[in-house]
Amino acid sequence: MNQQSPIKSDAAAHSYIGQSVPRREDPRLLDGQGRFIDNLKLPDMAHAALLRSPYAHARIISVATKEASAVPGVIGILTGEDIKDKLGHIKPNWIAGQDIKIPPHPVLATEKVHYVGDAVAFVVAETREAAEDALQLIEVDYEILDAVIDEEAALSSPTQIHDTVENNLAGKPLMAWGDYRKAAEEANQIISLKLINNRLIPSPMEPRAILADFDPYDEKLELYLPTQVPHLHRRWLSDTLGWPEHKIRILVPDVGGGFGAKMHLYVEDILTAYAAKHFGRPVKWTEKRSESHLATHHGRAHTQYVDLAVKKNGQVLGMKVKLFANMGAYLSNMATGVPSVNCTYFATGSYAIANYFAETNLVLTNTVPVDAYRGAGRPEATYLIERAMDKVAEVLKLDPMEVRRKNIVTQFPHSFFDSGSFLQSMEKAAELIDYKGFRDLQHNYRKQGRYIGLGLINYTESCGMAPSEMLGRLGFDRGGYESAEIRVSPDGKITLFTGSTPQGHGHATSFAQILATEFELPLSDIEVKSGDTDAIPIGVGTYNSRSMPVGGTAAKICAEKVLKKAKKYAALLLKCDVDQVQYEQGKFSTLQDDTKTIPFGTVARLAAVPHQKPEGETPGLDHIYIHDPYGMSSPNGSHAVIVEVDIETGLTTILRYVAVDDAGVLINPQLAEGQIHGGVVQGIGQALFEETLYDADGQLISGSLLDYALPKSDRLPSFETAFLSTPTKTNPLGVKGIGEAGTIAAPPAIVSAVCDALKPFGIQHLDMPLTPPRIWAAIQHARQTEGATT
Amino acid sequence: METHFVRLTVNGKEYQAEVEARKLLVHFLRDDLNITSTNIGCDTSQCGACTIELDGKSSKACTMLAVQAHGRDIRTTATTDDPILNSLKQSFQADHALQCGYCTPGMVMRSRELLAQNPTPTEDEIRDALHGNICRCTGYHNIVKAVSNAAASLQKKEDAA
């Protein structure tokens, strides 16, 4: 076809790719008719509650349930002793190293509890209230043991958390390229820094809720689970319960946010399923918010040591990283890979650093298990390298942007980055924030006794971990693929079944946009289904910003295959060879005559009622395609922030936040921008507000939303966003991931800006979160010890 | 456990039931009356996901007992005949002010009260009004924009009338 053809350009105008189509998910949710799991009821449904350890480390002497069992309405109580021979252990899905020591994690504790929140007993009762009442009456005798909380201290602590893990060190994976030692010899200087990447509580607004129903005749479990990865969850449930996978159906209705926290296997998943079978009743368990702080796995929690081998001009020749990654009390699902792969692979950030060595200490402590949380290793990596760049600038008395420019990757593909606009995005962010004009502005503010600062950082990541063989090499027990099944009804309407599983992402809209574009049909002709393992035969799920690059690509390629087959049927109706058939705007015609057209629906009808059939073809147009990508894509961007710090109170106010992001082709720009907004605020939460505090005994001090400060509307600005577009060649849509970008970028941008504002006090770095007391104390300390220039 | 008789109106429909004294209003609405157009996001009255309108004022349904709602008139976001709510819902969709939608019922009800009291709020006033409602998905940017646009469109309708 001639690209100048008016028909083609008209068709292109009908493309839904790049259109900010309003979400079809919204009306139901706005009317409060969301199908969240806690809203669901089944006939004869019972309610469950979980007894948790009040101690961080203790030996269980006895568990007495007699009195609790007598509470009216109690159906039964499960203890560790009851189930220990009937269920397997919770096991990690990623074992990122040869010598990782995996401590046993029984579904309910038997001999010892290892953190405040560890599961001890599971009560099933007629009502929520009866279950809660019974919890109060279970008597557990504990012998309290010393607890260890800090990831560095744990390695030399006399406290041994698990007998099988010496020195509380579960493993020490290494990563290296080039020759750091040589780089260090050639460098003018070694610049060192220590960083704490603060532990975070993921806090999706919907706490976890699980509803299990077991049909004893089919011996089949139906489990409503708020999961990002239903097919993986089915496998893990099967492994732990010992029930075959085809007898487990995972259903995922609306999920109220996940952010990684809803992609791990939890003891409650197993207990609720087991209880439904054991007690012969549908069972629902709903997590309370304070319980979520103790039970839903945390994120980040690193202590990082960094050495940079630099030349005088700011070029970084080599980098050495030593990580202490807090694993919590057990090795959660992806816990070992998040620091040792996701963080150390990306710790050189957007920069070409030829010589690199990293050591990751995977450390067990008496705390809530730590696992992937939005960004999963890349926020820890980006914070590390961007704070390091600022430090290099500070030490060498260079402009921070100049140091970055000197080291930034400009040639693509580079190492594992397929493509990118690293330098361009930095220049764009600098232009939008008026980097050049800022120092004058800062000077003028200071003359008025006001302290403003600017931070400008770069980030990159890789999305859609692939290929599957590489996951195997990394010890990650899953594939890198995603599935798409297209079912074409005889009337020509289309339903997509995708393994991608949203928790607010808007897949029902964005995946429909991909298919409506491919089929050149109205959006209303396309239905999107996800989150049902009986309906969707195979899948991986939504994390790692992979839904569009992997799941979206699967949908696109599947559509191409459906159309290819449809053309064969169309050829019968058009009475021509298949290579003479063309398809435009939902209609088939011949290359010779585009006036005689046959709608897609007519061809679908023929395929469903195949009174004529292309030679060797099967009836119907349905198709399953599983896309197993050969490579990842690398979104990138640069975020620039101006803050003001009130030096009397330590309060930080964000004056401007500029986000420049490049995620290649955007399917729905409004949804992409929404991901940036939300991600940035989670990153701001880490930088300014969110502090997960344990006391020395291992009590979680920030155990509720009263004590753990999530970002709120009145402490935030509106954002300025801009998008660059460098389509990836690693998928035919040209899309890259976007979901984690903001969370990765915001912390170093904010901290950089605050530290810039505090420079007159000689403050170069403060660990997150930069709460008013922390900043205020640093200012007081600086004034007392060094004498400020104010 | 002692129970009490409670009669109340929700979205124009009258309900009556025997309720345990200790039961929170939000549990009564959701568990006993099957009205799930208000969600539970916390247990310390921080998050606002359960915000309803009680006799015309926005309230967190987790901060009161069901028995305290006796004789009261409750509205949730399931209300479909209120012009302010309808305008908010249109703007929330147009401006992509919701992602997972879990905080949305509360967010919408709090915004409704704001617009009923202050038809032309500034950005700061909107941000201040919503500080008791936590959203983890949107970063608030589009929520603030949607409330502002809903206010503008209601003003426009009023000017035209």
Side-chain angles (χ1 to χ4, degrees):
Chain A
M1 282 293 294
N2 181 348
Q3 283 196 331
Q4 301 305 313
S5 152
I7 294 174
K8 197 67 194 171
S9 67
D10 194 36
H14 282 91
S15 167
Y16 291 98
I17 306 276
Q19 305 290 322
S20 290
V21 175
R23 298 200 321 170
R24 44 173 65 170
E25 289 89 340
D26 292 356
R28 168 195 304 284
L29 295 165
L30 282 160
D31 282 347
Q33 304 305 309
R35 289 170 292 200
F36 299 105
I37 292 172
D38 194 47
N39 295 352
L40 306 179
K41 281 183 176 177
L42 291 174
D44 211 23
M45 183 176 84
H47 297 263
L50 186 71
L51 183 70
R52 300 182 183 282
S53 168
Y55 302 112
H57 195 193
R59 204 172 299 285
I60 297 174
I61 309 296
S62 65
V63 182
T65 58
K66 198 173 164 197
E67 208 185 331
S69 301
V71 169
V74 169
I75 296 164
I77 298 174
L78 299 170
T79 66
E81 289 300 321
D82 295 332
I83 62 165
K84 71 175 184 188
D85 298 327
K86 300 189 175 88
L87 295 173
H89 284 181
I90 304 283
K91 289 183 183 147
N93 181 250
W94 195 351
I95 302 165
Q98 298 293 322
D99 306 311
I100 305 285
K101 295 179 188 69
I102 304 168
H105 184 189
V107 174
L108 289 170
T110 48
E111 291 164 17
K112 272 171 71 186
V113 286
H114 297 104
Y115 68 100
V116 173
D118 211 349
V120 176
F122 195 64
V123 178
V124 177
E126 298 293 343
T127 62
R128 278 178 212 263
E129 290 81 3
E132 293 287 335
D133 287 345
L135 283 191
Q136 312 296 321
L137 297 173
I138 299 174
E139 283 179 34
V140 187
D141 267 352
Y142 293 104
E143 178 197 340
I144 300 166
L145 305 169
D146 287 340
V148 59
I149 307 306
D150 179 79
E151 55 267 18
E152 263 192 280
L155 291 178
S156 52
S157 167
T159 300
Q160 180 78 18
I161 300 172
H162 297 280
D163 293 342
T164 52
V165 186
E166 209 180 321
N167 300 324
N168 303 315
L169 181 66
K172 195 194 276 196
L174 306 175
M175 171 88 63
W177 56 78
D179 184 346
Y180 174 78
R181 249 180 296 190
K182 194 157 162 266
E185 281 166 18
E186 286 168 9
N188 296 114
Q189 200 170 345
I190 305 293
I191 293 174
S192 303
L193 64 162
K194 177 190 176 184
L195 301 165
I196 308 280
N197 206 287
N198 45 326
R199 177 187 282 256
L200 301 176
I201 300 175
S203 311
M205 284 317 298
E206 178 207 31
R208 288 179 296 135
I210 304 166
L211 174 57
D213 189 18
F214 188 84
D215 180 336
Y217 299 101
D218 287 343
E219 295 188 310
K220 181 144 185 174
L221 172 73
E222 289 203 345
L223 190 69
Y224 293 86
L225 195 67
T227 172
Q228 305 171 219
V229 289
H231 291 83
L232 300 183
H233 251 110
R234 182 176 63 179
R235 170 152 58 94
W236 303 331
L237 277 150
S238 170
D239 288 347
T240 314
L241 288 161
W243 306 349
E245 277 200 62
H246 72 301
K247 293 291 190 183
I248 299 173
R249 179 185 187 188
I250 309 281
L251 290 145
V252 191
D254 288 327
V255 179
F259 316 124
K262 288 178 179 164
M263 61 184 289
H264 319 313
L265 179 66
Y266 289 98
V267 296
E268 297 87 355
D269 307 345
I270 302 296
L271 287 165
T272 311
Y274 178 80
K277 182 181 181 190
H278 184 77
F279 295 112
R281 298 272 299 269
V283 176
K284 186 200 275 183
W285 172 79
T286 301
E287 185 181 59
K288 296 184 285 293
R289 174 60 59 191
S290 303
E291 204 178 8
S292 176
H293 285 220
L294 291 176
T296 293
H297 294 176
H298 293 175
R300 317 288 187 255
H302 283 194
T303 299
Q304 309 173 328
Y305 292 88
V306 190
D307 287 342
L308 292 133
V310 296
K311 286 180 34 175
K312 268 188 217 146
N313 66 3
Q315 193 196 345
V316 180
L317 299 178
M319 183 161 101
K320 188 168 84 170
V321 171
K322 189 171 190 176
L323 292 186
F324 295 88
N326 200 320
M327 298 281 99
Y330 304 103
L331 295 184
S332 180
N333 202 275
M334 293 170 56
T336 61
V338 169
S340 69
V341 176
N342 287 13
C343 180
T344 59
Y345 251 124
F346 294 95
T348 52
S350 310
Y351 309 101
I353 299 177
N355 304 290
Y356 177 66
F357 178 82
E359 169 193 304
T360 306
N361 293 276
L362 305 168
V363 189
L364 291 156
T365 63
N366 294 112
T367 62
V368 174
V370 178
D371 205 330
Y373 160 57
R374 199 173 191 171
R378 279 77 50 91
E380 297 91 315
T382 305
Y383 185 71
L384 184 159
I385 187 65
E386 293 299 328
R387 293 307 298 138
M389 286 290 155
D390 280 354
K391 176 100 180 190
V392 170
E394 180 73 33
V395 171
L396 300 178
K397 302 200 184 329
L398 297 170
D399 176 74
M401 210 176 134
E402 204 43 52
V403 173
R404 287 170 168 84
R405 195 179 279 118
K406 188 136 276 161
N407 292 289
I408 203 161
V409 172
T410 51
Q411 299 294 317
F412 297 96
H414 174 92
S415 182
F416 31 76
F417 305 133
D418 67 296
S419 60
S421 56
F422 294 10
L423 183 60
Q424 295 90 322
S425 75
M426 183 168 74
E427 304 290 4
K428 179 83 182 165
E431 176 200 323
L432 290 174
I433 202 90
D434 188 20
Y435 192 88
K436 281 184 189 147
F438 178 75
R439 293 301 161 201
D440 285 344
L441 187 70
Q442 189 177 40
H443 184 70
N444 290 338
Y445 266 75
R446 280 195 193 145
K447 280 200 289 198
Q448 303 164 42
R450 294 174 69 182
Y451 291 80
I452 62 171
L454 185 149
L456 193 162
I457 64 90
N458 302 307
Y459 78 88
T460 183
E461 55 164 327
S462 281
C463 298
M465 196 185 261
S468 291
E469 293 81 357
M470 188 188 77
L471 275 73
R473 283 197 298 277
L474 293 171
F476 203 179
D477 187 16
R478 60 180 71 172
Y481 60 84
E482 195 51 272
S483 69
E485 178 176 9
I486 289 174
R487 295 187 201 162
V488 181
S489 312
D491 63 356
K493 307 298 185 207
I494 289 164
T495 307
L496 169 72
F497 294 79
T498 169
S500 294
T501 309
Q503 313 98 52
H505 301 74
H507 288 179
T509 304
S510 53
F511 277 75
Q513 288 178 250
I514 294 172
L515 286 204
T517 302
E518 286 302 312
F519 285 104
E520 301 182 45
L521 289 170
L523 268 180
S524 56
D525 282 11
I526 317 287
E527 183 91 349
V528 178
K529 295 281 182 199
S530 60
D532 178 349
T533 57
D534 271 10
I536 298 145
I538 183 169
V540 177
T542 289
Y543 58 91
N544 189 211
S545 303
R546 70 194 297 279
S547 291
M548 278 304 135
V550 190
T553 298
K556 178 188 160 65
I557 295 174
C558 193
E560 289 169 0
K561 291 180 184 292
V562 168
L563 274 174
K564 195 173 172 198
K565 186 174 179 184
K567 277 186 179 172
K568 293 184 188 172
Y569 275 98
L572 298 176
L573 295 174
L574 290 164
K575 301 187 190 346
C576 66
D577 288 343
V578 68
D579 56 10
Q580 297 301 302
V581 178
Q582 63 176 353
Y583 182 68
E584 273 174 0
Q585 296 185 62
K587 296 184 183 76
F588 297 91
S589 60
T590 64
L591 289 174
Q592 291 76 21
D593 177 8
D594 62 8
T595 58
K596 187 189 165 203
T597 60
I598 297 171
F600 181 77
T602 304
V603 172
R605 168 83 191 188
L606 174 65
V609 188
H611 294 168
Q612 298 180 72
K613 213 161 57 173
E615 203 177 318
E617 271 302 343
T618 52
L621 297 177
D622 298 1
H623 193 81
I624 295 179
Y625 179 74
I626 298 160
H627 177 59
D628 198 12
Y630 68 88
M632 297 180 263
S633 62
S634 312
N636 70 275
S638 305
H639 287 204
V641 183
I642 296 175
V643 300
E644 177 169 9
V645 180
D646 180 338
I647 59 159
E648 299 306 322
T649 63
L651 183 72
T652 298
T653 302
I654 301 169
L655 302 180
R656 285 185 70 196
Y657 195 111
V658 170
V660 178
D661 296 279
D662 186 344
V665 173
L666 303 179
I667 304 297
N668 184 320
Q670 193 181 36
L671 301 198
E673 191 188 35
Q675 287 293 321
I676 293 298
H677 292 159
V680 162
V681 166
Q682 288 192 3
I684 292 173
Q686 171 165 31
L688 293 182
F689 307 115
E690 296 180 39
E691 184 159 37
T692 310
L693 274 178
Y694 277 98
D695 72 7
D697 295 330
Q699 290 296 333
L700 182 64
I701 305 298
S702 52
S704 80
L705 283 186
L706 277 171
D707 318 293
Y708 185 77
L710 293 175
K712 295 185 176 183
S713 55
D714 59 342
R715 294 301 311 148
L716 295 164
S718 286
F719 303 104
E720 301 161 58
T721 54
F723 286 95
L724 302 177
S725 183
T726 310
T728 180
K729 293 191 178 73
T730 61
N731 68 62
L733 286 168
V735 298
K736 302 176 175 182
I738 191 123
E740 296 163 294
T743 315
I744 295 170
I750 297 282
V751 174
S752 182
V754 171
C755 292
D756 184 48
L758 295 177
K759 237 176 220 159
F761 299 93
I763 297 167
Q764 289 181 15
H765 177 74
L766 290 172
D767 286 319
M768 302 182 288
L770 304 180
T771 57
R774 191 168 285 189
I775 290 176
W776 185 85
I779 293 169
Q780 302 314 310
H781 181 76
R783 278 177 165 166
Q784 281 160 18
T785 55
E786 290 173 28
T789 57
T790 52
Chain B
M1 195 70 65
E2 199 188 338
T3 62
H4 300 262
F5 176 73
V6 170
R7 177 169 41 216
L8 44 68
T9 307
V10 185
N11 298 329
K13 193 174 160 192
E14 192 180 283
Y15 296 84
Q16 40 190 323
E18 286 290 329
V19 185
E20 276 187 29
R22 64 176 176 174
K23 184 167 280 207
L24 293 174
L25 175 59
V26 70
H27 286 134
F28 176 61
L29 291 172
R30 292 174 48 81
D31 293 352
D32 296 10
L33 304 185
N34 291 319
I35 294 166
T36 52
S37 49
T38 185
N39 293 327
I40 301 174
C42 75
D43 42 19
T44 51
S45 301
Q46 254 49 68
C47 83
C50 67
T51 305
I52 54 162
E53 211 175 75
L54 186 75
D55 293 336
K57 285 193 74 176
S58 73
S59 305
K60 293 180 178 178
C62 70
T63 56
M64 64 188 293
L65 299 166
V67 291
Q68 293 174 292
H70 181 63
R72 314 287 287 269
D73 185 22
I74 288 170
R75 267 209 291 204
T76 73
T77 189
T79 312
T80 52
D81 59 358
D82 178 73
I84 300 181
L85 268 183
N86 290 344
S87 179
L88 280 163
K89 288 177 186 181
Q90 276 171 18
S91 295
F92 267 58
Q93 186 179 22
D95 293 324
H96 186 35
L98 63 154
Q99 290 181 30
C100 82
Y102 197 78
C103 75
T104 307
M107 208 54 95
V108 167
M109 293 313 288
R110 178 67 190 105
S111 303
R112 202 212 89 87
E113 186 190 37
L114 170 70
L115 295 191
Q117 291 172 348
N118 177 1
T120 54
T122 62
E123 175 174 344
D124 280 352
E125 286 169 339
I126 297 169
R127 286 186 175 277
D128 194 45
L130 296 178
H131 83 273
N133 292 71
I134 299 175
C135 171
R136 283 292 275 168
C137 296
T138 65
Y140 305 103
H141 178 110
N142 284 342
I143 293 175
V144 173
K145 188 172 158 189
V147 174
S148 181
N149 284 338
S153 100
L154 284 163
Q155 277 308 111
K156 211 185 255 175
K157 274 182 201 156
E158 199 163 287
D159 293 347

